[in-house]
Amino acid sequence: MVGDGGRRGDDEEKRKRKKKKTEEKDDDIDDDTGTGVHGEKKKSIILPSMIKNKDKRMAVHAKRKHEKKLEKRKRAKERELSVKKAVELGEEIPVKQVPKTIENTREVDDNIYKIDDEEFMEEKCHDEFSKVVENGHVPKILITTNRFNSTRGPAFISELLTIVPNAQYKKRGTYELKKIIEGAKKRDFTSIIVVHCRRREPDALLIIGLPFGPTAHFKLSSLVLRKDIKNHGNPSGHKPELILNNFTTTLGHRVGRLLQSIFPQDPEFRGRRVVTFHNQRDFIFFRHHRYKFDFKEENDPNDTKAKATKETSTQKPKVAVHLQECGPRFTLKLRSLQHGTFDTKGGEYEWVHKSEMDTSRRRFFL
Amino acid sequence: MPRTIASECPGCPSIRALTTDEIGRIKVIEARGKISIPKMVEAWGDPDYNRHIYLASFANRERDPVLAVARKNKEVELINPLTGDVIAVKNIGEDPLGALHLFTSRRSNSRSNTLLMCTEKGKASLQSIQVCDGISANTVFLKQWDVCNAGKVECSSVNGSENYALFAGKGIEVNFWDIEKNEKIWTAKSPKSSNLGIFTPTWFTSATFLCKDDHRKFVAGTNNQQVRLYDISSQRRPVITIEFRDKIRSIAEDTDGYKIYAGTSKGELAAFDMRTGKLLGSFIGKCSGSIRSIARHPEQPVLVSCGLDRYLRFWNTNTRELLSSVFLKQNLTNVVIDPHFSGEEIAVNTVEKTMLTGQLIDGNEVEIGGESSIKTKKTKSKFKTIKHTKEELEPEHKRRKKRVAEE
């Protein structure tokens, strides 16, 4: 079904590649002539990998590594000193350099969600989630599975039940999903979560907002259950706090709101439970933690003098934060977002991932 | 090396498109000059979900064009597409509309507009709206008839000379009506069940006439992924059936009389040749949401599509490459093209204006452009120092008026 456009594109690419090759060849020739002049200099550099004796090679490599490390430290110290100097002299502090990552060099898209835009504000008050998120309707969740479900599936569901307050698990039986949705609408459920297992391993998550949708289909990967996490905690029954991180585009915001609508909007801070959905490069990482604040009095051995001076003034207790993970841990990736409830035949999609969209590793949608 | 392909958008020729969205706003997108990047120029109406526009029809006339929109709050509005003023508001009954068509011809005088409406339950009516002063309007029911008894009307189309109309929908086979005589001429027959004996229920989602002059051939898109060509003169079953990837959501015809553009619910847009029934090629790369509406520019090789991915996209129909896209914040429901848009560049315009203002300097106060005009009072300012801010903002309707007057 490939059209002429695709073929033409291929031809162009080939031509480009050919051009590049010829250019590279030219470069090579230049290099050859260059070695004629600087040949001796180039030969004098011996890379550790060129040494054949293993002991020697290791020694040289270790030495080089050590030197590099020292250099790096030196540079860091210099930077620190320059900052200190600037502070002392009251000059402008040199700009701290930020490393370039794929995420902060993402392709610029204009579909960024703006909170203060009037259209988005209107949408916020009237979209499918406003009943739960804005108007304080208590969410009621139905969790179910695909037809065949065993081993890690049920274990994952039992943990989901501890995370999501007011959630119920119902066996799937042989019901069609569309009928389940109809039934759930009648019983005032606000969302359905379907855990899909394949080869006894959960691999997809379907979150359906009720009664009007939308339906999000996620790929679920790298699932670590609670018992496999070292030093895990056991969550209490309090309503958790929710952190939604980094959902910037309109699509991302919508997905964020869908996830938000699963949880009650009045967290019990006494429980000190946090549920995090962190979006990074279109992968949504789920984490579940307990936290604790420890109020400690300062007793650093180095700062005895400082302590003496501080004692006279009002003393601020030092706060130490402790985090304890209480699983599970998993990663979601959006595959499609459907307008309305689950309907594969007659449904309309708001967003579908297609392979032709992956034109760049710096293009993100959430 | 990062694997990047620079997203190139070459820009599109001068064009003016109007979109309607779920928040009840009408947005105007314009590109001026030979090749430029289109921008949103105006947005009419307050954002309000209750005024969700779900249908739109554009009477394409050089002199006083009209845009008709159907809103969720049971109103049909006639809007001046140049200024955004509401000409008339008409209340429709409880049933939402399944089809809306505003006639380009059929006017008894310049203040009357004829509408063809059909509710989802199949009650079709031909109405003439007389615009009186202000917003009050007189409606005259010209004709009324029942298209069907059961099912849900989802799409309709009126042919180029506006004598015939067709209706189709969920559970309704294509109905072909003569508007003059008010009678059903022809009905389609559903295709035979497959060799496994499986019968797919009828569900048409979109329809259009293949050619402007020929009312006998038309194309319909179905829910079960088919594009069908019907010919009234030959048979009641489809002449050609093409299977495509997903549910067909929208269909638009080309000016050449055989090409068809179809958009699906998964955001795929493709061109078909209806003489052979072959896929000419897809418009790939960017669309990610259901395509609700497609429009073809009558002169330039530009195709406009919009839908649930909140973008309005401009495509080249020959090369099928993306020319440009505009992010419009909301789920878009309809797009129409204003073909009489002059699209002069602003620079050209300013020259015109400076000439005008040059004349103004002598006579202190002059009116330009009829009733609604800019009054300028200039005594001191010299020819060179005039700033062009006003000229840049000079709205389309004034320019149009001027042009018509010149002709």
Side-chain angles (χ1 to χ4, degrees), chain A residues 23-36:
Chain A
E23 276 171 16
E24 277 171 14
K25 269 181 190 171
D26 291 350
D27 287 353
D28 287 350
I29 292 161
D30 285 341
D31 282 353
D32 287 345
T33 52
T35 46

Side-chain angles (χ1 to χ4, degrees), chain A residues 217-230:
Chain A
H217 180 210
F218 295 101
K219 181 177 84 177
L220 191 146
S221 59
S222 48
L223 171 70
V224 182
L225 294 178
R226 185 173 299 150
K227 72 174 201 310
D228 300 323
I229 296 173
K230 251 188 184 177

Side-chain angles (χ1 to χ4, degrees), chain A residues 1-6 8 13 16 107 109-112 114 117-120 122-124 126-127 250 254 339 343 345-352 354 356-363, chain B residues 1-5 7 21-23 25 27 47-49 203 223 245 247 249 265-268 279-281 284-290 292 308-311 319-320 327-331:
Chain A
M1 298 286 251
V2 178
D4 305 0
R8 197 172 298 150
E13 266 193 22
K16 272 180 193 171
E107 270 178 24
D109 238 344
D110 45 2
N111 57 354
I112 300 295
K114 288 171 197 124
D117 190 286
E118 52 170 355
E119 286 186 21
F120 289 137
E122 173 71 15
E123 192 194 342
K124 192 179 146 195
H126 291 276
D127 67 354
T250 42
R254 223 169 135 67
H339 197 71
D343 186 357
K345 263 204 165 169
E348 278 185 281
Y349 288 83
E350 282 176 38
W351 185 84
V352 194
K354 295 179 212 155
E356 69 219 33
M357 287 173 176
D358 301 326
T359 49
S360 154
R361 56 197 291 222
R362 281 160 214 277
R363 188 174 177 211
Chain B
M1 267 293 286
R3 184 169 61 94
T4 37
I5 297 167
S7 48
D21 58 25
E22 285 189 352
I23 214 162
R25 277 192 141 183
K27 288 170 183 168
D48 183 357
Y49 253 78
W203 186 346
N223 187 54
R245 288 161 211 161
K247 172 187 177 177
R249 195 63 183 76
S265 64
K266 275 192 179 173
E268 267 153 315
L279 175 74
L280 293 171
I284 54 163
K286 291 285 179 184
C287 279
S288 52
S290 169
R292 284 268 177 96
L308 294 187
D309 62 350
R310 306 182 181 209
Y311 274 97
T319 58
R320 288 189 290 278
F327 179 61
L328 292 175
K329 297 179 194 170
Q330 290 300 323
N331 289 343

Side-chain angles (χ1 to χ4, degrees), chain B residues 54-55 57 70 76 90 92-103 115-127 141 143-158 165-169 172 175 177:
Chain B
Y54 60 97
L55 283 172
S57 177
V76 170
K90 193 195 161 332
I92 51 172
E94 281 300 303
D95 291 345
L97 291 185
L100 177 74
H101 181 83
L102 181 62
F103 287 92
L115 276 170
L116 174 66
M117 293 194 277
C118 182
T119 62
E120 285 186 347
K121 286 180 180 167
K123 299 231 176 338
S125 60
L126 198 66
Q127 302 180 11
F141 278 84
K143 274 159 200 170
Q144 233 168 341
W145 70 94
D146 278 347
V147 170
C148 60
N149 299 321
K152 185 183 164 196
V153 175
E154 284 197 3
C155 55
S156 82
S157 185
V158 174
L166 59 89
F167 302 94
I172 304 169
N175 283 293
W177 289 78

